[in-house]
Amino acid sequence: MSGTTPGTVLLLAASPLGRGRLVDAASVLPVLAAVPPAVLSGTDTANVVELADPLEPQAVLTRLRAAATAPGPLTVYVTGQLLLDRRQRLPHLALARTTAPTARYTAFPWHWFREELRLRPPGATTLILDLYADAESWQELCSPQTPAPAPAPFVLDSGRDTAVYGRVAPPPSRRTVAAPAYMRAVATLLRSGRRPPDEELHQQALTRVVAESEHPGLVLARRGAGTAAGDPHAAITAAVRSGRHADADALAARHEHSAVLAYGPASEEALHWAEVRADLAMLAGDAVLSCRTWLTVATARLNTGQAVDASVVETAVDRAHHQWGRIEDPARARELGGLLAQLRARVPGRQQGALDHVRRQLSRLQTQS
């Protein structure tokens, strides 16, 4: 155990309820829930949030976002199954209502983990994963075109500062629902009351899986990148944690300005820092600035020719939409809502009815002074 700041633990177990279920993910939650919160987190005290077979990706996103903004270490235990959406072939975590044809709208996009965790302090976030891939996802993970030597962590990009341990198992034999052997081993080890270092816990769990004659699959073992000397992201995060939001934004603004001068205003380098500033405005409670910045980022990406269903474009519009809903000034909400409606007409995103929602809200706003 280390540190006096309480840790946060998110227990997420998800798999489809119908014939597409590969693993009984939720079966491991009682075992994990029997572990003391402090042991799950590796801190003196911890808050635990449990999600069992959630129905909607937005519900998972809301819980993940709240966990990501909490101070102190964050450990996310994820048990479930992977599949690819058919349009972009990006990995998703299947939820209760997910089917292969509806994955884009009913599953949780894996890159949302990366997006929500990117402003966390280096070394403060750990993902522990026990995932089963469907046949299509397994083939993608094992493809020789996937960069070596660690294909699964590349495909399941969770951010450079996030430590990732666990495994992705191949699909079980037909008409068989697998048990989450790796996560059950982790939970059993932790029920002893001792929390070993992540690498040790991971190796002990893998040993138990192999001893049960189960295929370990693709093994995930990667430490977070940690804090590099002079890393501006670490300095920004420290400023936010201490409540110095203006200092954090000023530092990000300087890096954005340098990127614009060096690479151009529509470059990935410049847009990255614009996205950081949008997140910082959100953390500072400035929904107007955050919404406006996300709208600007989305428009810039579209103007460079990026597809309307590209994940970075959809993310920018979704975040603008989320922040727009938090604007209390009717005049500002009307102004930005018109811009958001124009973007939503081009970028409908994954949330069905998003454009209709903007139009209904704008209609209500017209009656407010």
Side-chain angles (χ1 to χ4, degrees), residues 96-279:
R97 294 174 177 169
T98 300
T99 61
T102 66
R104 176 172 168 78
Y105 300 103
T106 61
F108 188 81
W110 196 266
H111 64 265
W112 285 6
F113 281 108
R114 181 188 68 242
E115 292 294 331
E116 296 304 320
L117 300 175
R118 64 180 175 175
L119 281 185
R120 287 192 50 78
T125 310
T126 302
L127 290 182
I128 298 178
L129 311 176
D130 189 1
L131 304 171
Y132 283 76
D134 68 0
E136 188 178 18
S137 302
W138 182 251
Q139 183 177 6
E140 184 85 3
L141 288 168
C142 298
S143 168
Q145 283 78 37
T146 305
F154 171 80
V155 176
L156 300 180
D157 179 12
S158 306
R160 67 190 186 98
D161 293 326
T162 300
V164 180
Y165 296 95
R167 59 86 177 258
V168 182
S173 58
R174 292 193 60 175
R175 299 179 182 175
T176 299
V177 176
Y182 174 85
M183 194 64 76
R184 185 173 291 276
V186 167
T188 301
L189 289 164
L190 292 179
R191 286 184 68 178
S192 68
R194 173 180 175 266
R195 171 63 185 264
D198 290 332
E199 293 89 344
E200 181 182 337
L201 176 65
H202 169 65
Q203 290 299 329
Q204 290 181 9
L206 276 182
T207 299
R208 292 195 175 206
V209 169
V210 173
E212 295 173 4
S213 301
E214 178 165 333
H215 192 313
L218 292 171
V219 175
L220 313 175
R222 194 200 69 178
R223 298 179 181 179
T227 306
D231 181 2
H233 297 86
I236 289 170
T237 299
V240 171
R241 296 291 176 187
S242 62
R244 295 180 289 112
H245 295 285
D247 291 345
D249 182 67
L251 180 55
R254 289 200 296 273
H255 284 279
E256 181 185 14
H257 180 66
S258 298
V260 168
L261 292 177
Y263 305 104
S267 65
E268 280 299 322
E269 292 81 359
L271 291 175
H272 164 75
W273 285 108
E275 291 174 345
V276 169
R277 296 188 69 193
D279 280 337

Side-chain angles (χ1 to χ4, degrees), residues 321 324 337 340-341 344 354-363:
H321 194 156
W324 180 66
L340 177 60
R344 269 298 184 210
L355 177 57
D356 289 339
H357 174 264
V358 176
R359 288 171 172 168
R360 287 195 304 271
Q361 290 297 103
L362 276 175
S363 179

